Amino acid sequence: MKKFTIDQIIRILAEADSPGNSVAAIARKYGISEQTIYRWRKKYRGFSSSEAKRLKALEEENARLKRLLAEKELEIQALTQVIKKNF
């Protein structure tokens, strides 16, 4: 499976949206499924390249923060169990 950059995705979507091009033809050209194009459209429709990059950065930051929160919750849970055992 090939990874596409945000810029490439935006260009592929623009090409698929241009008159005279079908989604099936664009999907074959880039070796991806039609469903991938539709998923990208749903996620990136109306975004410029910089906005899409910002969205990606925010999603990555959100995932990192969720992992940190999960780690802290596990730490708190472990400490609570230790305290309960001691009393």
Side-chain angles (χ1 to χ4, degrees):
M1 182 171 109
K2 182 179 178 189
K3 286 273 196 171
F4 291 93
T5 65
I6 298 293
D7 290 331
Q8 289 171 327
I9 291 171
I10 299 295
R11 272 189 252 117
I12 291 170
L13 290 176
E15 189 175 340
D17 289 340
S18 64
N21 289 332
S22 69
V23 171
I26 299 300
R28 277 192 307 275
K29 178 179 176 182
Y30 292 100
I32 55 177
S33 70
E34 291 179 43
Q35 185 59 39
T36 299
I37 292 178
Y38 292 123
R39 192 173 351 103
W40 286 346
R41 271 187 183 166
K42 185 178 176 183
K43 186 171 185 178
Y44 298 112
R45 176 168 291 209
F47 283 131
S48 68
S49 182
S50 63
E51 290 171 329
K53 286 179 185 177
R54 179 71 179 141
L55 173 65
K56 184 76 169 175
L58 288 172
E59 287 173 342
E60 289 171 359
E61 181 182 8
N62 192 30
R64 183 182 62 80
L65 292 171
K66 283 181 179 180
R67 280 192 305 276
L68 285 172
L69 178 63
E71 289 172 5
K72 292 299 178 190
E73 289 293 327
L74 285 173
E75 231 176 84
I76 290 169
Q77 185 180 26
L79 291 172
T80 303
Q81 288 176 356
V82 168
I83 290 171
K84 284 181 182 177
K85 286 181 182 178
N86 288 336
F87 290 108

